[in-house]
Amino acid sequence: MRHGETVQGAAFAALMTRAPAAKRTRVDTLAADLAAGRLQRAHPARAEPLAAPGRPDRPALVHPSKLARRSLGSSAGRCALLHAVAHIEFNAINLALDAVYRFRGMPDEFYGDWVSVAVDEARHFDMIAGRLVALGSAYGELPAHNGLWEMACKTADDALARMALVPRVLEARGLDVSPGMIERLVGAGDATSADLLRVILREEERHVAIGTRWFEHLCAERGLEPQPTFLRLLAEAGSRIQPPLNRPARLRAGFTDRELDALLAQPDAAASG
């Protein structure tokens, strides 16, 4: 069997594709082939470590502290915000593909879910990258950070940790901050960009819900209680859930009121509010 004839092989090929347009084509092909039953599952052997995914030469990756903060009152400030969103979406494509490639022996629905997320993220990236071009900029013109992929590396050995710390922490953070970003863009007179972020916010709820579903599935398999396990994984990773939380969106994405109250009661969360 050739490498590309498996779901994992096709996901790996898309993951390692560098150019955004070519990556989206591979993602769409992967989704179509999976839906048509043309792909088999790889033997549940351990996936090889992966230091870096396929990405273009630009943007340059820098420490988050090196990224300039700009007012949305200027075109440059709005482009900087949208560039950061585009970078998040591009990384999210790779994170979804890596979940498909890396975690073997999961139910078929797991792979279908994360392929569908990759399709959404690729479309989100195209939306924002296109908006950047319309504003006279382009993805890659500004520096960005590598925090999302660094978390992928930290959770590469455990699907439970990945489901907890990527969709339920990093992606869920987008549910919290996007309403404020949308409001600021509307206030700056950029309703078009705000509308794009509304689409992303609505669809990201499903992605976080998928993470919740598989986190709870893995907890059940291992005889673990989800809430204390999530809090433990947060503590072990040194991750902090900072208020305010978008409680309605998080509830729709699978969090419970009890869980959200526990997150807000954490000392780090209370201190950062």
Side-chain angles (χ1 to χ4, degrees), residues 89-103:
E89 299 302 324
F90 187 82
N91 274 274
I93 305 169
N94 285 334
L95 286 164
L97 292 169
D98 187 70
V100 176
Y101 164 69
R102 180 158 310 284
F103 300 119

Side-chain angles (χ1 to χ4, degrees), residues 197-241:
L197 292 194
R198 286 191 183 96
V199 172
I200 293 174
L201 172 59
R202 183 172 62 250
E203 296 185 355
E204 290 293 342
E205 286 185 15
R206 186 180 75 90
H207 302 171
V208 178
I210 287 171
T212 296
R213 174 190 177 188
W214 292 108
F215 172 71
E216 292 177 349
H217 170 89
L218 289 161
C219 283
E221 273 196 343
R222 301 181 192 186
L224 301 171
E225 287 294 326
Q227 180 175 311
T229 300
F230 185 54
L231 295 176
R232 173 178 60 80
L233 290 169
L234 278 175
E236 290 175 354
S239 295
R240 300 178 181 180
I241 306 296

